[in-house]
Amino acid sequence: MSRVVVVGGGLGGTAAAARLAKLGHDVHLLERAGALGGALVPVRSGDLTWESATASTTLPAVVRDLFRKSGRPLERELDLVPLAVPREHRFPDGSRVRLPTGSRAAQLEALEGLGAGVGTAWVDHVAAYAPAWEALRRDLFERPWAPDLATAEARDLLRSRTSLHRHLRRSLRDPRLRALAAHPAVLGGHDLRAVPWWVGLETYVEQRSGTWTVPGGMHRLGEALADRLATRRVTVSLGTAATDVVVRGGRAVAVATAAGEVDADVVVCAVDPRGLPTLAPHAARTTPALPPVVAHVALDATGLPDDAPPEVVVHGETTFVVRTGGQAPPGRAAWTVLGRGPVSEDLLRALARVGVDLRERVLERHDLSPLQAVQRWGGSPYGVLWQGRRSVTDRLGPRTPVPGVLACGAHATSGAGLPFVGLSAALVAEVVGPA
Ligand SMILES: O=c1ccn([C@@H]2O[C@H](COP(=O)(O)OP(=O)(O)O[C@H]3O[C@@H]([C@H](O)CO)[C@H](O)[C@H]3O)[C@@H](O)[C@H]2O)c(=O)[nH]1
């Protein structure tokens, strides 16, 4: 049995802690905030609740695997339900489409509504990611990257100099399809010229696995994980900021906090490693991807369409995402607006300019700038900015150059969002292994 100290109690840290405790280790999690969950902790005001980060996930198998491997199956704790049509996309030319996920045929049919051949162009584009996903799933996302063990195909993919920008220019003539294909990277805050082309495989993953949510809100997943840590007898120290990893004799032996050192055989860094002085030099070539501009709004729901999709994406020089699924009592609605790209005026005024005017309905509003978001979570929940193909190896995780220190979470994975953070925690558990 090893003494494992996990730094950070977001999805990455709690998932790693739950898995490692189930593997028989003595796990102690340090979280600087007053609660576990990180970006899964929602924003609440009276009887209103807005999701802070994500309102849905792809790859439901990742969440199911986490719950099964940490004790009890997910179905005993929570429902995870598919969203047949998670998003409506609106394009600068005025056209729009409600795009289903989880089905190639349904995407084909929906996109043919934009014009003859549009759907076929899309499904052909998405299908072409299948080999990249299979190669990287095996060698990068589901086992620690090891060039010697990886297939030539996976090594070639990580060496490729082709950017997502160039790939989409070559592969898709319709600018609306390019906007669809680029959306995950744009929402992540990346410059498409600095993103490797294979990162576009997220559209393939979403088409194949579908989009899923937890009724009542994704924050319930964070709450279920906190309960799981209690069941697994993980020691949780809230309000405890780790200040550094203590290295003696060439290996990590403890984590330093204001209250003293917490002894460790293994340290798991589930925060931005640049915040821990021992790890910072090893992550010096990484830059965080900034969060978007966000406004959580309570709306007078009178006359609002009752078939609003969970998300409306308005594509353009600035991309807006309107999430409609917050929890609110009858007569009101809890929506979240995100802005990516140049937003040089009030977010809701900018949104009104592109045809979604919520301003007269607003009853309450909570704004979150990118800086405030980074301060709230002690780092960017959007992880590492793509700065070319080297970003894959510039980021730490699951192994780090410091013996005894592993890394997981948004800063330790080349994929975006909840499922890839979940996979990064599984990799850490695999490297540590059973007690
Ligand atoms: O010095 C520090 C800095 C931060 N913390 C705490 O660590 C937690 C980080 O949580 P989070 O930002 O949520 O990051 P994580 O990589 O675990 O989670 C990712 O999952 C998704 C998201 O949950 C769903 O989409 C997202 O991509 C990422 O956020 C946080 O609690 C900080 O307070 C610390 O203890 N010490």
Side-chain angles (χ1 to χ4, degrees), residues 26-365:
D26 174 13
V27 183
H28 189 161
L29 187 148
L30 309 176
E31 164 58 52
R32 65 168 207 158
L36 292 174
L40 281 172
V41 176
V43 174
R44 295 188 199 273
S45 172
D47 45 10
L48 299 152
T49 305
W50 297 265
E51 295 305 319
S52 297
T54 191
S56 60
T57 185
T58 59
L59 289 176
V62 172
V63 180
R64 293 201 187 103
D65 186 65
L66 165 60
F67 277 77
R68 200 173 49 247
K69 300 260 177 66
S70 63
R72 272 154 60 97
L74 179 70
E75 307 77 77
R76 303 252 194 105
E77 319 276 341
L78 281 180
D79 287 331
L80 192 60
V81 298
L83 289 170
V85 184
R87 240 164 265 127
E88 175 176 299
H89 293 269
R90 300 184 182 180
F91 302 103
D93 67 356
S95 59
R96 54 179 74 176
V97 63
R98 290 193 175 188
L99 189 64
T101 60
S103 160
R104 175 187 177 280
Q107 289 202 335
L108 175 67
E109 187 185 342
L111 288 165
E112 281 298 304
L114 290 179
V118 176
T120 307
W122 174 254
V123 294
D124 288 350
H125 167 79
V126 172
Y129 282 114
W133 168 241
E134 288 309 324
L136 294 179
R137 183 176 66 76
R138 261 191 328 261
D139 284 335
L140 181 67
F141 295 118
E142 291 185 357
R143 79 168 174 214
W145 174 248
D148 297 348
L149 301 178
T151 59
E153 195 180 1
R155 286 198 304 270
D156 286 349
L157 282 164
L158 297 199
R159 272 199 298 257
S160 169
R161 289 177 184 276
T162 304
S163 70
L164 185 57
H165 180 264
R166 193 199 288 180
H167 179 65
L168 298 184
R169 288 259 153 207
R170 279 186 192 157
S171 158
L172 292 167
R173 288 176 57 194
D174 190 320
R176 297 170 299 182
L177 295 187
R178 290 204 292 271
L180 281 187
H183 179 58
V186 168
L187 186 61
H190 305 288
D191 175 347
L192 301 186
R193 290 180 173 80
V195 179
W197 75 271
W198 55 261
V199 175
L201 60 75
E202 286 184 41
T203 52
Y204 172 78
V205 168
E206 191 176 48
Q207 187 194 80
R208 296 299 298 260
S209 75
T211 308
W212 299 70
T213 195
V214 174
M218 289 300 285
H219 63 273
R220 296 188 57 222
L221 178 62
E223 292 164 1
L225 271 171
D227 292 346
R228 182 58 53 95
L229 295 197
T231 309
R232 298 262 68 92
R233 298 182 194 283
V234 171
T235 305
V236 175
S237 297
L238 300 176
T240 305
T243 53
D244 202 359
V245 176
V246 181
V247 176
R248 290 192 193 105
R251 117 162 248 113
V253 293
V255 173
T257 75
E261 292 184 2
V262 184
D263 293 340
D265 303 307
V266 175
V267 174
V268 177
C269 172
V271 299
D272 183 345
R274 298 170 323 131
L276 297 172
T278 296
L279 294 179
H282 304 290
R285 293 207 299 215
T286 67
T287 301
L290 280 184
V293 181
V294 174
H296 300 293
V297 289
L299 303 175
D300 175 355
T302 315
L304 274 180
D306 49 17
D307 69 338
E311 274 187 15
V312 176
V313 181
V314 186
H315 296 276
E317 192 192 2
T318 304
T319 297
F320 299 91
V321 177
V322 182
R323 294 192 174 141
T324 63
Q327 313 290 311
R332 283 181 285 163
W335 287 17
T336 295
V337 181
L338 289 80
R340 272 291 184 200
V343 184
S344 51
E345 60 183 337
D346 175 72
L347 186 60
L348 295 190
R349 189 183 308 150
L351 180 66
R353 281 188 203 286
V354 293
V356 185
D357 196 349
L358 303 176
R359 291 173 295 176
E360 300 246 303
R361 296 180 173 279
V362 174
L363 305 170
E364 187 178 323
R365 173 173 175 167

